[in-house]
Amino acid sequence: MLKPGEYVRDLLESEPGRRVTARGWVKTRRDSKGLHFVQLNDGSCFRDLQVVIEAGVVPEADLAAVTTGACVEVDGEIVASPAAGQRVELRGTAVRVLGPADPATYPLQKKGHSFEFLREIAHLRSRSNTFGAVFRVRSALSFAIHRFFQERGFVYVHTPIITASDCEGAGSLFGVTTLDLSNVPRTKDGKVDYSQDFFGKPTYLTVSGQLEGEAFALAFSNIYTFGPTFRAENSNTPRHLAEFWMVEPEMAFCDLADDMKIAEEFLKYVIGYALEHCREDLEFFNQRIEKTVISTLEHVVNSPFEHLTYTEAIRLLENANRTWEFPVHFGADLQSEHERYLTEEKIGRPVIVTDYPKEIKAFYMRDNDDGRTVRAMDVLAPRIGEIIGGSQREERLDVLREKIRAHGLNEASYSWYLDLRRFGSVPHAGFGLGLERLLMYVTGMKNIRDVIPFARTPGSAEF
Ligand code: 4AD
Ligand code: MG
């Protein structure tokens, strides 16, 4: 196991004269003028360690299997590097190939591969520059998310993955069953007999931990949940996954204004964290993926988010003088084209849209007094569109019951959720951030399949 001080990252920081053993996978190897050059990477940082071996120092037989993709161990001495672009390199004196990689069949070659091709070899793509950077940033952002909430006294709660309640009420659920699908038990009236199923009733993979999160917020005041969520929407877009990771804070004693404030502070914090701690990786994205990614992030951290009500947003879209694929009118859901117009063309930075019509938002959002809108807020970001969705929750028992009915949901299955309004209810609010949407924003990567290790999308669940 590599210990701190032994990673390539640390070797690159060490002083000439240090004797070390470097371990990692060979990015490339070339031989010229009596020297063997090996680029070695262990995933700890963007840069490779350059290993230089003089001809004759190491037996030819030991070198033969040092080819792209092989896992190797090299003993040697850190020396000042005569080459540009690196302070030090490793002068190798012994090489052991721990795991060879047949050059004839190793699929990840030096030439640039398309992201589509790399998705097919997702078990190997993390060894490439781009995906090494993506997944280091993913790890750093996840840590920053925990740190933000932990520093503010939020309790981390593990909400269930298997659930009987449909949080968003959108009907895009994956069922969880152990029933024999080729011989489904039926009730007398021909319906599926779920009483014979594992849990004795229909269950699903969760679309959101929010409802259970609310139960914890009404005990711990400030909580967050951070885990995988599942949506069976058949949307084959660059922004949708069937399995994605969501961060959901929930705060008691909190209204919509406070909710928006903490969402903005949170986004700025985690982006600031990436700017500070992932500089090398971000510089790569800036050069190779999206020319403006760093300046955009710096701008986001340093300027206040814009605020618009839904009604104002609709007016801006109506006055935009263009033909929308999805027509705009009060009551229409904002589509990607609308979100991008508002953030990219009209405003040029993140914008928080509030007070959506109640018909297009979930049952749990608090009604405004106008009778038409709810205290919802979506944070829209340039390039990405919706990155955060949140709201103040309906804390009044009678109003919430009425809303459950109006949304065509079964009150009995929300009885525990209604209990939270029966016993010690309080104004509370929260939001959900899709980790992969955030990663797309921070890295400039264009397809959400390229910021999650192994993507699950309609028709595709490899690995
Ligand atoms: O807006 P959504 O559906 O909100 C909720 O689930 C609430 N329960 C959150 C809350 O208030 N606690 O989803 C929240 C975020 C979206 O803004 C988006 O970033 C992400 O989750 N998201 C997806 N990301 C990838 N693929 C999908 N299919 C996504 N659906 C939502
Ligand atoms: Mg939403």
Side-chain angles (χ1 to χ4, degrees):
M1 187 182 101
L2 296 182
K3 293 197 253 334
E6 297 174 351
Y7 292 101
V8 161
R9 177 183 62 212
D10 306 317
L11 302 185
L12 287 167
E13 295 307 315
S14 45
E15 293 309 315
R18 186 179 164 206
R19 294 209 62 85
V20 300
T21 298
R23 299 175 180 90
W25 290 266
V26 175
K27 274 259 175 74
T28 58
R29 158 169 177 193
R30 70 193 164 81
D31 306 301
S32 88
K33 298 185 201 126
L35 294 173
H36 307 288
F37 294 93
V38 180
Q39 299 298 121
L40 200 64
N41 194 286
D42 64 357
S44 62
C45 65
F46 188 83
R47 282 169 298 157
D48 303 321
L49 176 67
Q50 170 155 289
V51 180
V52 184
I53 302 169
E54 284 171 31
V57 169
V58 168
E60 277 304 314
D62 292 2
L63 279 170
V66 178
T67 58
T68 299
C71 184
V72 304
E73 201 169 63
V74 186
D75 302 329
E77 184 184 335
I78 298 288
V79 297
S81 175
Q86 61 206 359
R87 197 176 57 90
V88 294
E89 60 190 29
L90 179 65
R91 186 186 295 145
T93 50
V95 177
R96 290 172 295 280
V97 175
L98 306 180
D102 178 7
T105 51
Y106 184 63
L108 202 65
Q109 295 301 330
K110 190 175 157 60
K111 69 175 172 78
H113 296 293
S114 73
F115 289 148
E116 287 78 8
F117 170 73
L118 290 169
R119 264 170 234 150
E120 291 169 16
I121 53 162
H123 56 305
L124 296 170
R125 69 176 177 172
S126 296
R127 299 186 194 174
S128 69
N129 286 338
T130 304
F131 290 93
V134 165
F135 295 121
R136 272 188 302 275
V137 173
R138 186 176 170 114
S139 168
L141 281 175
S142 301
F143 176 70
I145 286 164
H146 281 290
R147 207 168 87 163
F148 177 85
F149 290 118
Q150 294 285 336
E151 281 175 359
R152 283 159 186 75
F154 283 60
V155 169
Y156 178 35
V157 45
H158 297 121
T159 49
I161 305 274
I162 299 175
T163 172
S165 48
D166 175 4
C167 173
E168 293 304 300
S172 51
L173 300 156
F174 286 103
V176 173
T177 182
T178 53
L179 292 178
D180 177 359
L181 294 184
S182 60
N183 185 19
V184 174
R186 302 269 173 195
T187 57
K188 279 197 203 81
D189 50 0
K191 298 208 173 95
V192 176
D193 184 5
Y194 283 105
S195 71
Q196 296 188 44
D197 202 352
F198 190 91
F199 297 105
K201 60 176 169 182
T203 50
Y204 314 96
L205 294 178
T206 189
V207 296
S208 156
Q210 178 196 321
L211 302 191
E212 293 90 349
E214 284 184 55
F216 268 59
L218 270 62
F220 297 94
S221 308
N222 290 328
I223 66 95
Y224 67 107
T225 173
F226 183 12
T229 47
F230 306 87
R231 303 215 176 162
E233 313 161 90
N234 203 357
S235 28
N236 235 324
T237 80
R239 310 189 306 150
H240 288 89
L241 290 164
E243 175 180 300
F244 63 99
W245 281 63
M246 186 156 47
V247 190
E248 295 180 275
E250 189 73 31
M251 293 76 67
F253 317 103
C254 184
D255 61 11
L256 189 66
D258 285 340
D259 196 29
M260 291 190 285
K261 226 186 274 169
I262 190 144
E264 178 169 346
E265 194 185 331
F266 167 64
L267 265 182
K268 289 178 171 173
Y269 179 96
V270 295
I271 290 172
Y273 185 92
L275 283 169
E276 190 182 335
H277 293 90
C278 308
R279 200 70 205 188
E280 222 172 71
D281 291 325
L282 292 190
E283 270 159 15
F284 165 78
F285 293 121
N286 207 58
Q287 270 170 27
R288 301 289 294 276
I289 302 292
E290 171 69 51
K291 298 265 169 289
T292 56
V293 84
I294 290 183
S295 60
T296 302
L297 296 178
E298 281 167 347
H299 179 57
V300 165
V301 168
N302 294 314
S303 48
F305 290 4
E306 185 69 38
H307 288 256
L308 280 179
T309 65
Y310 169 88
T311 307
E312 288 164 344
I314 290 293
R315 202 167 304 134
L316 288 178
L317 294 166
E318 281 171 344
N319 295 339
N321 242 331
R322 63 175 72 183
T323 21
W324 301 107
E325 191 188 338
F326 296 90
V328 286
H329 55 87
F330 186 93
D333 215 348
L334 296 186
Q335 303 292 333
S336 174
E337 55 172 342
H338 309 133
E339 294 174 348
R340 297 192 61 166
Y341 171 79
L342 292 172
T343 51
E344 288 168 24
E345 295 182 45
K346 206 66 202 168
I347 292 157
R349 60 200 154 97
V351 50
I352 310 186
V353 179
T354 58
D355 304 290
Y356 285 74
K358 58 176 170 188
E359 288 75 21
I360 59 172
K361 287 294 185 187
F363 73 93
Y364 53 70
M365 296 189 182
R366 195 184 194 284
D367 277 356
N368 276 319
D369 295 337
D370 64 8
R372 316 208 297 158
T373 60
V374 286
R375 289 189 194 165
M377 65 104 175
D378 280 359
V379 182
L380 314 180
R383 282 205 325 270
I384 311 298
E386 181 191 334
I387 190 163
I388 282 179
S391 65
Q392 186 176 330
R393 320 306 189 190
E394 185 53 75
E395 86 284 10
R396 299 163 297 184
L397 178 63
D398 50 334
V399 183
L400 183 59
R401 284 170 100 155
E402 186 45 44
K403 287 173 68 88
I404 287 176
R405 233 171 285 141
H407 277 81
L409 302 168
N410 175 9
E411 189 180 319
S413 42
Y414 292 93
S415 66
W416 68 269
Y417 186 67
L418 288 163
D419 265 359
L420 303 173
R421 278 70 180 169
R422 284 190 188 99
F423 309 121
S425 189
V426 66
H428 60 289
F431 62 84
L433 165 88
L435 178 65
E436 291 76 17
R437 300 261 176 103
L438 173 67
L439 261 160
M440 289 173 76
Y441 195 53
V442 169
T443 61
M445 295 294 284
K446 306 286 182 300
N447 194 310
I448 200 163
R449 294 167 179 83
D450 296 331
V451 294
I452 189 160
F454 300 99
R456 273 79 182 96
T457 51
S460 170
E462 296 309 312
F463 311 101

